[in-house]
Amino acid sequence: MNRATPEHDSESTLIDHLIELRSRLVRGLIGVGVALAALLPFTTRIYNWLAEPLIARLPAGETFIAMNPAGAFFAPVKLTFFVALFAAAPWLLYQAWAFVAPGLYQRERKLAMPLLASAISLFYIGCAFAYFLVLPMVFNFLTTFKPDVIAITPDAGSYLDFVLVIFLAFGISFELPVALVILVLLGWVTPQQLRESRGYAIVGVFVLAAIITPPDVISQLMLAIPMCLLYEAGIIVGSWLKKSVEDETAEPR
């Protein structure tokens, strides 16, 4: 009777993990494909919706241009792909979660799910904040204070790239509380250290906002102020979770 060697068991486990990873990747891609297929008929509407913050502030009759013949087609399709990716993000994160969850302890799973849900929600909130508040104010500033001899004729592709960068900047920036909570739970920093470093953090936030936002004070403040508030929120939530974990660990088994 043949007995499996430890090396054979290790290889079998690795192969099983790779098969599971491939399965999760395929399911994730299928989810993105389904979302893309559902959104493609609305490509024009989606781009018109994205263009509204700037179109509403252009002189009557002015619209976007395409610097190359294919730009009028590829820019809306590119946007639709990113919207599909955006819509499928919870499904993609679920697949990632389903892959790593079996290797986590019960306590880690209990903490990971709220953090994952918070990360998704905060990213969406950051993008919504950028679209409904930041972009209208930025474009109002840019169109109001430009010289009269300069006409704004935005290129469809360049506008899309600009807006996607804004969305990404605000979406990622709004993840700050989740990042702080993870650092606290890992023991890399303590809530007290975060409080003591508040001044440095505020300076860093304003420097970061000046780098990743357009060169106007309004957008910089609209990124920096929420990030400062989110920094405080991260300290509060991190302190509460750390105390809860310590209390749970201290309980007699």
Side-chain angles (χ1 to χ4, degrees):
M1 182 177 181
N2 295 328
R3 294 184 179 180
T5 63
E7 292 81 3
H8 183 270
D9 291 340
S10 177
E11 291 178 2
S12 299
T13 302
L14 177 60
I15 292 174
D16 290 340
H17 284 316
L18 292 176
I19 293 174
E20 175 69 11
L21 177 60
R22 184 185 64 180
S23 174
R24 294 296 174 184
L25 289 173
V26 170
R27 292 178 187 178
L29 291 175
I30 290 175
V32 174
V34 170
L36 181 60
L39 291 171
L40 279 176
F42 306 99
T43 296
T44 301
R45 292 185 183 180
I46 294 173
Y47 195 92
N48 290 343
W49 173 79
L50 187 73
E52 180 60 27
L54 180 55
I55 290 294
R57 286 154 185 84
L58 292 178
E62 289 195 18
T63 184
F64 284 20
I65 61 172
M67 298 298 292
N68 61 77
F73 170 78
F74 283 113
V77 171
K78 178 182 176 181
L79 172 61
T80 303
F81 170 76
F82 279 105
V83 173
L85 197 62
F86 181 85
W91 173 250
L92 295 174
L93 290 174
Y94 168 75
Q95 297 301 322
W97 164 255
F99 178 72
V100 302
L104 301 177
Y105 293 109
Q106 179 64 29
R107 183 186 305 162
E108 294 172 336
R109 287 199 293 267
K110 188 166 65 174
L111 290 173
M113 280 302 293
L115 288 175
L116 185 61
S118 299
I120 296 173
S121 300
L122 286 171
F123 187 85
Y124 285 165
I125 291 172
C127 293
F129 183 84
Y131 179 81
F132 290 106
L133 293 177
V134 178
L135 289 180
M137 296 188 69
V138 168
F139 293 140
N140 184 66
F141 175 85
L142 295 177
T143 56
T144 300
F145 293 98
K146 73 173 183 63
D148 293 336
V149 295
I150 299 177
I152 298 179
T153 53
D155 171 62
S158 299
Y159 174 80
L160 175 60
D161 293 339
F162 174 82
V163 173
L164 288 178
V165 168
I166 295 293
F167 281 173
L168 190 62
F170 276 82
I172 293 177
S173 298
F174 272 52
E175 301 289 335
L176 181 60
V178 176
L180 294 180
V181 168
I182 292 174
L183 292 177
V184 169
L185 293 177
L186 290 175
W188 293 0
V189 296
T190 65
Q192 183 60 32
Q193 289 175 328
L194 293 175
R195 293 188 186 97
E196 293 172 354
S197 304
R198 183 181 287 113
Y200 298 104
I202 292 174
V203 173
V205 162
F206 275 88
V207 171
L208 180 65
I211 293 173
I212 65 179
T213 58
D216 65 277
V217 177
I218 295 175
S219 60
Q220 293 171 12
L221 289 176
M222 293 190 73
L223 178 59
I225 292 175
M227 284 190 69
C228 290
L229 297 176
L230 291 169
Y231 183 85
E232 298 297 327
I235 295 176
I236 295 172
V237 177
S239 301
W240 177 74
L241 284 178
K242 184 175 178 62
K243 186 176 183 303
S244 298
V245 171
E246 290 175 348
D247 292 343
E248 183 178 343
T249 304
E251 290 179 358
R253 297 182 179 273

